[in-house]
Coordinates of all heavy atoms in Angstrom, one line a residue:
V117 N 28.0 -3.8 4.6 CA 27.8 -5.1 3.9 C 28.6 -5.1 2.6 O 29.0 -4.1 2.1 CB 26.3 -5.3 3.5 CG1 25.5 -5.4 4.8 CG2 25.8 -4.3 2.6
Q118 N 28.9 -6.3 2.1 CA 29.7 -6.5 0.9 C 29.0 -5.9 -0.3 O 27.8 -6.2 -0.6 CB 30.0 -7.9 0.7 CG 31.0 -8.2 -0.5 CD 31.4 -9.6 -0.6 OE1 31.9 -10.2 0.4 NE2 31.3 -10.3 -1.7
L119 N 29.6 -5.1 -1.1 CA 29.1 -4.5 -2.3 C 29.2 -5.5 -3.5 O 29.8 -6.6 -3.3 CB 29.8 -3.3 -2.7 CG 29.8 -2.2 -1.6 CD1 30.7 -1.0 -2.0 CD2 28.4 -1.7 -1.3
R120 N 28.6 -5.2 -4.6 CA 28.7 -6.1 -5.7 C 30.1 -6.3 -6.2 O 30.5 -7.4 -6.7 CB 27.8 -5.6 -6.9 CG 26.3 -5.7 -6.7 CD 25.6 -5.2 -8.0 NE 25.9 -3.9 -8.2 CZ 25.2 -2.8 -7.7 NH1 24.2 -3.1 -6.9 NH2 25.5 -1.6 -8.0
S121 N 30.9 -5.3 -6.0 CA 32.3 -5.4 -6.4 C 33.1 -6.3 -5.5 O 34.3 -6.6 -5.8 CB 32.9 -4.0 -6.4 OG 32.9 -3.4 -5.1
G122 N 32.5 -6.7 -4.3 CA 33.3 -7.4 -3.4 C 33.9 -6.6 -2.3 O 34.4 -7.1 -1.2
A123 N 33.9 -5.3 -2.5 CA 34.5 -4.4 -1.5 C 33.5 -4.0 -0.4 O 32.3 -4.3 -0.5 CB 34.9 -3.1 -2.2
R124 N 34.0 -3.4 0.7 CA 33.1 -3.0 1.8 C 33.5 -1.5 2.1 O 34.7 -1.2 2.2 CB 33.3 -3.9 3.0 CG 32.8 -5.3 2.9 CD 33.1 -6.1 4.1 NE 32.7 -7.5 4.0 CZ 31.6 -8.0 4.3 NH1 30.6 -7.2 4.9 NH2 31.3 -9.3 4.2
L125 N 32.5 -0.7 2.4 CA 32.8 0.7 2.8 C 32.9 0.8 4.3 O 32.3 0.0 5.0 CB 31.6 1.6 2.3 CG 31.5 1.7 0.8 CD1 30.1 2.4 0.5 CD2 32.6 2.5 0.2
E126 N 33.7 1.7 4.8 CA 33.8 1.9 6.2 C 32.9 3.1 6.6 O 32.7 4.1 5.9 CB 35.3 2.3 6.6 CG 36.2 1.1 6.6 CD 37.5 1.4 7.3 OE1 37.8 2.6 7.5 OE2 38.2 0.4 7.6
Y127 N 32.3 2.9 7.8 CA 31.4 3.9 8.4 C 31.9 4.3 9.8 O 32.2 3.4 10.6 CB 30.0 3.4 8.4 CG 29.4 3.1 7.1 CD1 29.6 2.0 6.4 CD2 28.5 4.1 6.5 CE1 29.0 1.7 5.2 CE2 27.9 3.8 5.3 CZ 28.2 2.6 4.6 OH 27.6 2.4 3.4
K128 N 31.8 5.6 10.1 CA 32.1 6.0 11.5 C 30.8 6.4 12.2 O 30.0 7.2 11.7 CB 33.0 7.2 11.5 CG 33.4 7.8 12.9 CD 34.3 9.0 12.8 CE 34.6 9.5 14.2 NZ 35.4 10.7 14.1
F129 N 30.6 5.8 13.3 CA 29.3 6.0 14.0 C 29.5 6.7 15.3 O 30.2 6.3 16.3 CB 28.7 4.6 14.3 CG 28.3 3.9 13.1 CD1 28.8 2.6 12.9 CD2 27.4 4.4 12.2 CE1 28.4 1.9 11.7 CE2 27.0 3.7 11.1 CZ 27.5 2.4 10.8
N130 N 29.0 7.9 15.4 CA 29.0 8.7 16.7 C 27.8 9.7 16.7 O 27.9 10.7 17.3 CB 30.3 9.5 16.9 CG 30.5 10.5 15.8 OD1 29.7 10.7 14.9 ND2 31.7 11.1 15.8
A131 N 26.7 9.3 16.1 CA 25.5 10.1 16.0 C 25.0 10.4 17.4 O 24.4 11.5 17.7 CB 24.4 9.5 15.1
F132 N 25.0 9.4 18.3 CA 24.5 9.5 19.6 C 25.2 10.6 20.4 O 24.6 11.5 21.0 CB 24.6 8.2 20.4 CG 23.9 8.2 21.8 CD1 22.6 7.9 21.9 CD2 24.7 8.5 22.9 CE1 22.0 8.0 23.2 CE2 24.1 8.5 24.1 CZ 22.8 8.2 24.3
S133 N 26.6 10.5 20.4 CA 27.4 11.5 21.2 C 27.3 12.8 20.5 O 27.3 13.9 21.2 CB 28.8 11.0 21.3 OG 29.4 10.8 20.0
S134 N 27.1 12.9 19.2 CA 26.9 14.2 18.5 C 25.7 14.9 19.0 O 25.6 16.1 19.3 CB 26.9 14.0 17.0 OG 28.2 13.4 16.6
A135 N 24.6 14.1 19.0 CA 23.3 14.6 19.5 C 23.3 15.1 20.9 O 22.8 16.1 21.3 CB 22.2 13.6 19.2
V136 N 23.9 14.3 21.8 CA 24.0 14.6 23.2 C 24.8 15.9 23.4 O 24.5 16.8 24.2 CB 24.7 13.5 24.0 CG1 25.1 13.9 25.4 CG2 23.8 12.3 24.0
T137 N 25.9 16.1 22.6 CA 26.7 17.3 22.6 C 25.8 18.5 22.3 O 25.9 19.6 23.0 CB 27.9 17.2 21.7 OG1 28.7 16.1 22.0 CG2 28.7 18.5 21.7
V138 N 25.0 18.5 21.3 CA 24.2 19.6 20.8 C 23.1 19.9 21.9 O 22.9 21.0 22.3 CB 23.5 19.3 19.5 CG1 22.5 20.4 19.2 CG2 24.5 19.2 18.4
L139 N 22.5 18.8 22.4 CA 21.5 19.0 23.4 C 22.0 19.5 24.8 O 21.3 20.3 25.5 CB 20.7 17.7 23.6 CG 19.8 17.3 22.5 CD1 19.1 16.0 22.7 CD2 18.7 18.4 22.2
L140 N 23.2 19.1 25.1 CA 23.9 19.7 26.3 C 24.1 21.2 26.2 O 23.9 21.9 27.1 CB 25.2 19.0 26.6 CG 25.1 17.6 27.2 CD1 26.5 17.0 27.3 CD2 24.5 17.7 28.6
G141 N 24.5 21.6 25.0 CA 24.7 23.0 24.7 C 23.3 23.7 24.8 O 23.3 24.8 25.4
A142 N 22.3 23.1 24.3 CA 20.9 23.7 24.4 C 20.5 23.8 25.9 O 19.8 24.7 26.3 CB 19.9 22.9 23.6
A143 N 20.8 22.7 26.6 CA 20.4 22.7 28.0 C 21.1 23.8 28.8 O 20.5 24.5 29.7 CB 20.8 21.3 28.6
V144 N 22.4 24.0 28.5 CA 23.1 25.1 29.2 C 22.5 26.5 28.9 O 22.3 27.3 29.8 CB 24.6 25.1 28.8 CG1 25.3 26.3 29.3 CG2 25.3 23.8 29.4
G145 N 22.2 26.7 27.6 CA 21.6 27.9 27.2 C 20.2 28.1 27.9 O 19.9 29.3 28.3
T146 N 19.5 27.1 28.0 CA 18.1 27.2 28.6 C 18.3 27.4 30.1 O 17.5 28.2 30.7 CB 17.3 25.9 28.4 OG1 17.3 25.6 27.0 CG2 15.9 26.0 28.9
Y147 N 19.3 26.9 30.7 CA 19.5 27.1 32.1 C 19.9 28.6 32.4 O 19.4 29.2 33.4 CB 20.7 26.2 32.6 CG 21.1 26.4 34.1 CD1 20.3 26.0 35.1 CD2 22.2 27.2 34.3 CE1 20.7 26.2 36.4 CE2 22.6 27.4 35.6 CZ 21.8 26.9 36.7 OH 22.2 27.2 38.0
L148 N 20.7 29.1 31.5 CA 21.1 30.5 31.7 C 20.0 31.5 31.3 O 19.9 32.6 31.9 CB 22.4 30.8 30.9 CG 23.6 30.0 31.3 CD1 24.7 30.2 30.3 CD2 24.0 30.3 32.7
K149 N 19.3 31.2 30.2 CA 18.3 32.2 29.7 C 16.9 31.8 29.9 O 16.0 32.6 29.7 CB 18.6 32.4 28.2 CG 19.9 33.0 27.8 CD 20.1 34.4 28.3 CE 21.4 35.0 27.9 NZ 21.5 36.4 28.3
G150 N 16.6 30.6 30.4 CA 15.3 30.2 30.6 C 14.5 29.9 29.3 O 15.2 29.7 28.2
P151 N 13.2 30.0 29.3 CA 12.5 29.8 28.1 C 12.7 30.8 27.0 O 12.3 30.6 25.8 CB 11.0 29.9 28.5 CG 11.1 30.7 29.8 CD 12.4 30.4 30.4
D152 N 13.4 31.9 27.3 CA 13.7 32.9 26.3 C 15.1 32.6 25.6 O 15.6 33.5 24.8 CB 13.8 34.3 26.9 CG 12.4 34.8 27.4 OD1 11.4 34.5 26.7 OD2 12.4 35.4 28.5
F153 N 15.6 31.4 25.8 CA 16.9 31.1 25.1 C 16.7 31.2 23.6 O 15.7 30.7 23.1 CB 17.3 29.6 25.5 CG 18.5 29.1 24.8 CD1 19.7 29.9 24.8 CD2 18.5 27.9 24.2 CE1 20.8 29.4 24.2 CE2 19.6 27.4 23.6 CZ 20.8 28.2 23.6
A154 N 17.6 31.8 23.0 CA 17.4 32.2 21.6 C 17.1 31.1 20.6 O 16.3 31.2 19.7 CB 18.7 32.9 21.1
L155 N 17.6 29.9 20.9 CA 17.4 28.7 20.0 C 15.9 28.4 19.9 O 15.4 28.2 18.8 CB 18.1 27.5 20.6 CG 17.9 26.2 19.8 CD1 18.3 26.3 18.3 CD2 18.6 25.0 20.5
W156 N 15.2 28.3 21.1 CA 13.8 28.0 21.1 C 12.9 29.1 20.5 O 12.0 28.8 19.7 CB 13.3 27.7 22.5 CG 14.2 26.8 23.3 CD1 14.7 27.0 24.5 CD2 14.7 25.5 22.9 NE1 15.5 26.0 24.9 CE2 15.5 25.0 23.9 CE3 14.6 24.7 21.7 CZ2 16.2 23.8 23.9 CZ3 15.2 23.5 21.7 CH2 16.0 23.0 22.7
T157 N 13.3 30.3 20.8 CA 12.5 31.4 20.2 C 12.7 31.5 18.7 O 11.7 31.7 17.9 CB 13.0 32.7 20.8 OG1 12.8 32.7 22.2 CG2 12.2 33.9 20.2
F158 N 13.9 31.2 18.2 CA 14.2 31.3 16.8 C 13.5 30.2 16.0 O 12.9 30.4 15.0 CB 15.7 31.1 16.6 CG 16.2 31.3 15.2 CD1 16.5 32.5 14.7 CD2 16.3 30.2 14.3 CE1 16.9 32.7 13.4 CE2 16.7 30.4 13.0 CZ 17.0 31.6 12.5
I159 N 13.4 29.0 16.6 CA 12.7 27.9 15.9 C 11.2 28.2 15.8 O 10.6 28.0 14.7 CB 12.9 26.6 16.7 CG1 14.4 26.1 16.5 CG2 12.0 25.5 16.2 CD1 14.7 24.9 17.4
W160 N 10.6 28.7 16.9 CA 9.2 29.0 16.8 C 8.9 30.1 15.8 O 8.0 30.1 15.0 CB 8.6 29.3 18.2 CG 7.2 29.6 18.1 CD1 6.6 30.8 18.1 CD2 6.1 28.6 18.1 NE1 5.2 30.7 18.0 CE2 4.9 29.3 18.0 CE3 6.1 27.2 18.2 CZ2 3.7 28.7 18.0 CZ3 4.9 26.6 18.2 CH2 3.7 27.3 18.1
D161 N 9.7 31.2 15.9 CA 9.4 32.4 15.1 C 9.7 32.2 13.6 O 9.2 32.9 12.8 CB 10.2 33.6 15.6 CG 9.8 34.1 17.0 OD1 8.7 33.7 17.4 OD2 10.6 34.8 17.7
N162 N 10.5 31.2 13.3 CA 10.9 31.0 11.9 C 10.6 29.6 11.4 O 11.3 29.1 10.6 CB 12.4 31.3 11.8 CG 12.8 32.7 12.2 OD1 12.7 33.6 11.4 ND2 13.3 32.8 13.4
Y163 N 9.6 29.0 12.0 CA 9.2 27.6 11.6 C 9.1 27.4 10.1 O 9.6 26.5 9.5 CB 7.9 27.3 12.4 CG 7.4 25.9 12.1 CD1 8.0 24.8 12.7 CD2 6.4 25.6 11.1 CE1 7.5 23.5 12.4 CE2 5.9 24.4 10.9 CZ 6.5 23.3 11.5 OH 6.1 22.0 11.2
T164 N 8.3 28.3 9.5 CA 8.0 28.1 8.0 C 9.3 28.3 7.2 O 9.6 27.6 6.3 CB 6.9 29.1 7.6 OG1 5.8 28.9 8.4 CG2 6.6 28.8 6.1
Q165 N 10.1 29.3 7.6 CA 11.4 29.5 6.9 C 12.3 28.3 7.1 O 13.1 27.9 6.2 CB 12.0 30.8 7.4 CG 11.3 32.1 7.0 CD 10.1 32.4 7.9 OE1 9.8 31.7 8.9 NE2 9.5 33.5 7.7
L166 N 12.3 27.7 8.3 CA 13.2 26.5 8.5 C 12.7 25.4 7.6 O 13.6 24.7 7.1 CB 13.1 26.1 10.0 CG 13.8 27.0 11.0 CD1 13.4 26.6 12.4 CD2 15.3 27.0 10.8
L167 N 11.4 25.2 7.5 CA 10.9 24.2 6.6 C 11.3 24.4 5.2 O 11.8 23.5 4.5 CB 9.3 24.2 6.7 CG 8.6 23.4 5.7 CD1 8.9 21.9 5.9 CD2 7.1 23.6 5.9
T168 N 11.3 25.7 4.7 CA 11.6 26.0 3.3 C 13.1 25.7 3.1 O 13.5 25.1 2.0 CB 11.3 27.5 3.0 OG1 9.9 27.7 3.2 CG2 11.7 27.8 1.6
V169 N 14.0 26.2 4.0 CA 15.4 26.0 3.7 C 15.8 24.5 3.7 O 16.6 24.1 2.8 CB 16.2 26.7 4.8 CG1 17.7 26.5 4.7 CG2 16.0 28.2 4.8
N170 N 15.2 23.7 4.6 CA 15.5 22.3 4.5 C 15.0 21.7 3.2 O 15.6 20.7 2.7 CB 14.9 21.6 5.8 CG 15.8 21.8 7.0 OD1 16.8 21.1 7.1 ND2 15.4 22.7 7.8
M171 N 13.8 22.2 2.7 CA 13.4 21.7 1.4 C 14.4 22.0 0.3 O 14.7 21.1 -0.5 CB 12.0 22.4 1.1 CG 10.8 21.8 1.8 SD 9.3 22.6 1.1 CE 8.1 21.9 2.2
V172 N 14.9 23.2 0.3 CA 15.8 23.6 -0.7 C 17.1 22.7 -0.6 O 17.6 22.3 -1.7 CB 16.2 25.1 -0.5 CG1 17.3 25.5 -1.5 CG2 15.0 26.0 -0.8
I173 N 17.5 22.4 0.6 CA 18.7 21.6 0.8 C 18.4 20.2 0.2 O 19.3 19.6 -0.4 CB 19.1 21.5 2.2 CG1 19.7 22.9 2.7 CG2 20.1 20.4 2.5 CD1 20.0 23.0 4.2
A174 N 17.2 19.7 0.5 CA 16.9 18.3 0.0 C 16.9 18.3 -1.6 O 17.4 17.4 -2.2 CB 15.5 17.9 0.5
Y175 N 16.3 19.3 -2.2 CA 16.3 19.4 -3.6 C 17.7 19.5 -4.2 O 18.1 18.9 -5.2 CB 15.4 20.6 -4.1 CG 14.0 20.3 -4.2 CD1 13.1 20.7 -3.2 CD2 13.4 19.7 -5.3 CE1 11.7 20.5 -3.3 CE2 12.1 19.4 -5.4 CZ 11.2 19.8 -4.4 OH 9.9 19.6 -4.5
A176 N 18.5 20.4 -3.5 CA 19.9 20.6 -4.0 C 20.7 19.3 -3.9 O 21.5 19.0 -4.8 CB 20.5 21.7 -3.2
L177 N 20.5 18.6 -2.8 CA 21.3 17.4 -2.6 C 20.9 16.4 -3.6 O 21.8 15.7 -4.2 CB 21.0 16.8 -1.2 CG 22.0 17.1 -0.1 CD1 21.6 16.4 1.2 CD2 23.4 16.6 -0.5
A178 N 19.6 16.3 -3.9 CA 19.1 15.3 -4.9 C 19.7 15.6 -6.3 O 20.1 14.7 -7.0 CB 17.6 15.3 -5.0
C179 N 19.7 16.9 -6.6 CA 20.3 17.3 -7.9 C 21.8 17.0 -7.9 O 22.4 16.5 -9.0 CB 20.0 18.7 -8.2 SG 18.3 19.1 -8.5
F180 N 22.5 17.3 -6.8 CA 24.0 17.1 -6.8 C 24.3 15.7 -6.9 O 25.2 15.3 -7.8 CB 24.5 17.7 -5.4 CG 25.9 17.3 -5.2 CD1 26.9 18.0 -5.9 CD2 26.3 16.4 -4.3 CE1 28.3 17.7 -5.6 CE2 27.6 16.0 -4.0 CZ 28.6 16.7 -4.7
V181 N 23.7 14.8 -6.2 CA 24.1 13.4 -6.2 C 23.7 12.7 -7.6 O 24.3 11.8 -8.1 CB 23.5 12.6 -5.0 CG1 24.1 13.0 -3.7 CG2 22.0 12.6 -5.0
Y182 N 22.6 13.2 -8.1 CA 22.2 12.7 -9.5 C 23.2 13.1 -10.5 O 23.7 12.2 -11.3 CB 20.8 13.3 -9.8 CG 20.3 12.8 -11.2 CD1 19.8 11.6 -11.4 CD2 20.5 13.7 -12.3 CE1 19.4 11.2 -12.7 CE2 20.1 13.3 -13.6 CZ 19.5 12.0 -13.8 OH 19.1 11.6 -15.0
Y183 N 23.6 14.3 -10.6 CA 24.6 14.8 -11.5 C 25.9 14.0 -11.3 O 26.5 13.6 -12.3 CB 24.8 16.3 -11.4 CG 25.9 16.8 -12.2 CD1 25.7 17.1 -13.6 CD2 27.2 17.1 -11.7 CE1 26.8 17.5 -14.4 CE2 28.2 17.6 -12.4 CZ 28.0 17.8 -13.8 OH 29.0 18.3 -14.5
R184 N 26.3 13.9 -10.1 CA 27.6 13.3 -9.8 C 27.6 11.8 -10.0 O 28.7 11.2 -10.2 CB 27.9 13.6 -8.3 CG 29.4 13.3 -7.9 CD 29.6 14.0 -6.5 NE 30.9 13.6 -6.0 CZ 31.1 12.6 -5.2 NH1 30.1 11.9 -4.7 NH2 32.3 12.3 -4.7
S185 N 26.4 11.2 -10.0 CA 26.4 9.7 -10.2 C 26.9 9.3 -11.6 O 27.3 8.2 -11.8 CB 25.0 9.2 -10.0 OG 24.1 9.7 -11.1
F186 N 26.9 10.2 -12.5 CA 27.3 9.9 -13.9 C 28.9 9.9 -14.0 O 29.4 9.5 -15.0 CB 26.8 10.9 -14.9 CG 25.3 10.8 -15.1 CD1 24.4 11.6 -14.4 CD2 24.8 9.9 -16.0 CE1 23.0 11.5 -14.6 CE2 23.4 9.7 -16.2 CZ 22.5 10.5 -15.5
T187 N 29.5 10.1 -12.9 CA 31.0 10.0 -12.9 C 31.4 8.7 -12.3 O 32.6 8.4 -12.2 CB 31.6 11.1 -12.0 OG1 31.2 11.0 -10.6 CG2 31.2 12.5 -12.5
V188 N 30.4 7.8 -11.9 CA 30.8 6.5 -11.4 C 31.3 5.6 -12.6 O 30.6 5.4 -13.6 CB 29.5 5.8 -10.8 CG1 29.9 4.4 -10.4 CG2 29.0 6.6 -9.6
K189 N 32.5 5.1 -12.4 CA 33.1 4.3 -13.5 C 33.4 2.9 -12.9 O 33.7 2.7 -11.8 CB 34.4 5.0 -14.0 CG 34.2 6.4 -14.5 CD 33.3 6.4 -15.7 CE 33.1 7.9 -16.2 NZ 32.2 7.9 -17.4
A190 N 33.4 1.9 -13.8 CA 33.7 0.6 -13.4 C 35.2 0.5 -13.0 O 36.1 1.1 -13.6 CB 33.5 -0.4 -14.6
G191 N 35.4 -0.2 -11.9 CA 36.8 -0.3 -11.4 C 37.3 0.9 -10.6 O 38.5 1.0 -10.4
N192 N 36.4 1.8 -10.2 CA 36.9 3.0 -9.5 C 37.5 2.6 -8.2 O 37.0 1.7 -7.5 CB 35.8 4.1 -9.4 CG 34.7 3.7 -8.5 OD1 34.8 3.8 -7.3 ND2 33.6 3.1 -9.0
K193 N 38.5 3.4 -7.7 CA 39.1 3.0 -6.5 C 38.4 3.5 -5.2 O 38.7 3.1 -4.1 CB 40.5 3.7 -6.4 CG 40.5 5.2 -6.4 CD 41.9 5.8 -6.4 CE 41.9 7.3 -6.4 NZ 43.3 7.9 -6.3
H194 N 37.3 4.3 -5.4 CA 36.5 4.8 -4.3 C 35.3 3.8 -3.9 O 34.5 4.2 -3.1 CB 36.0 6.2 -4.6 CG 37.1 7.2 -4.8 ND1 38.0 7.5 -3.9 CD2 37.5 7.8 -6.0 CE1 38.9 8.4 -4.4 NE2 38.6 8.6 -5.6
K195 N 35.2 2.7 -4.6 CA 34.2 1.7 -4.3 C 32.8 2.3 -4.6 O 31.8 1.9 -3.9 CB 34.3 1.2 -2.8 CG 35.7 0.7 -2.4 CD 35.7 0.4 -1.0 CE 37.2 0.0 -0.5 NZ 37.3 -0.2 0.9
R196 N 32.7 3.1 -5.5 CA 31.4 3.7 -5.9 C 30.6 2.8 -6.8 O 31.1 2.1 -7.7 CB 31.5 5.1 -6.5 CG 32.2 6.1 -5.7 CD 32.5 7.4 -6.4 NE 31.3 8.0 -6.9 CZ 31.2 9.0 -7.8 NH1 32.3 9.3 -8.4 NH2 30.1 9.5 -8.1
E197 N 29.3 2.7 -6.5 CA 28.4 1.8 -7.3 C 27.1 2.5 -7.6 O 26.7 3.4 -6.8 CB 28.2 0.5 -6.6 CG 29.4 -0.4 -6.5 CD 29.0 -1.8 -5.9 OE1 27.8 -2.0 -5.7 OE2 30.0 -2.6 -5.7
L198 N 26.4 2.1 -8.6 CA 25.0 2.6 -8.9 C 24.1 1.6 -8.2 O 24.3 0.4 -8.0 CB 24.7 2.6 -10.4 CG 25.5 3.6 -11.2 CD1 25.0 3.6 -12.6 CD2 25.5 5.0 -10.6
A199 N 22.9 2.2 -7.7 CA 21.9 1.4 -7.1 C 21.2 0.6 -8.2 O 20.9 1.1 -9.3 CB 20.9 2.3 -6.4
A200 N 20.8 -0.6 -7.9 CA 20.2 -1.5 -8.8 C 18.9 -0.9 -9.4 O 18.6 -1.1 -10.6 CB 19.9 -2.9 -8.2
G201 N 18.1 -0.2 -8.6 CA 16.8 0.4 -9.1 C 16.9 1.8 -9.5 O 15.8 2.4 -9.8
G202 N 18.0 2.4 -9.5 CA 18.1 3.8 -9.8 C 18.7 4.3 -11.1 O 19.0 5.4 -11.3
H203 N 18.9 3.3 -12.0 CA 19.5 3.7 -13.3 C 18.6 3.2 -14.5 O 19.1 2.6 -15.4 CB 20.9 3.1 -13.4 CG 21.0 1.6 -13.6 ND1 20.6 0.8 -12.5 CD2 21.4 0.8 -14.6 CE1 20.7 -0.5 -12.9 NE2 21.2 -0.5 -14.1
T204 N 17.4 3.6 -14.4 CA 16.4 3.1 -15.4 C 16.5 3.9 -16.7 O 16.1 3.5 -17.8 CB 15.0 3.3 -14.9 OG1 14.7 4.7 -14.8 CG2 14.8 2.6 -13.6
G205 N 17.2 5.1 -16.7 CA 17.3 6.0 -17.8 C 16.2 7.0 -17.9 O 16.3 8.0 -18.7
N206 N 15.2 6.9 -17.0 CA 14.2 8.0 -16.8 C 14.7 9.0 -15.8 O 14.9 8.7 -14.6 CB 12.9 7.4 -16.4 CG 11.7 8.4 -16.3 OD1 11.7 9.2 -15.4 ND2 10.9 8.4 -17.4

Side-chain angles (χ1 to χ4, degrees):
V117 299
Q118 184 172 311
L119 303 173
R120 284 184 301 274
S121 63
R124 293 177 184 269
L125 293 170
E126 282 193 348
Y127 296 82
K128 180 182 179 181
F129 296 121
N130 61 7
F132 184 88
S133 57
S134 297
V136 169
T137 301
V138 173
L139 290 177
L140 282 176
V144 171
T146 305
Y147 174 78
L148 295 175
K149 297 293 184 178
D152 292 321
F153 178 48
L155 175 62
W156 311 129
T157 304
F158 187 88
I159 290 175
W160 181 266
D161 292 343
N162 299 280
Y163 178 81
T164 306
Q165 290 84 357
L166 290 169
L167 172 61
T168 301
V169 174
N170 280 281
M171 281 187 186
V172 173
I173 291 175
Y175 274 101
L177 263 181
C179 292
F180 171 74
V181 295
Y182 177 80
Y183 173 79
R184 192 165 174 266
S185 69
F186 289 96
T187 65
V188 175
K189 305 296 181 182
N192 70 84
K193 64 179 181 180
H194 300 294
K195 307 174 186 177
R196 297 174 65 194
E197 294 186 1
L198 296 185
H203 68 295
T204 66
N206 183 283

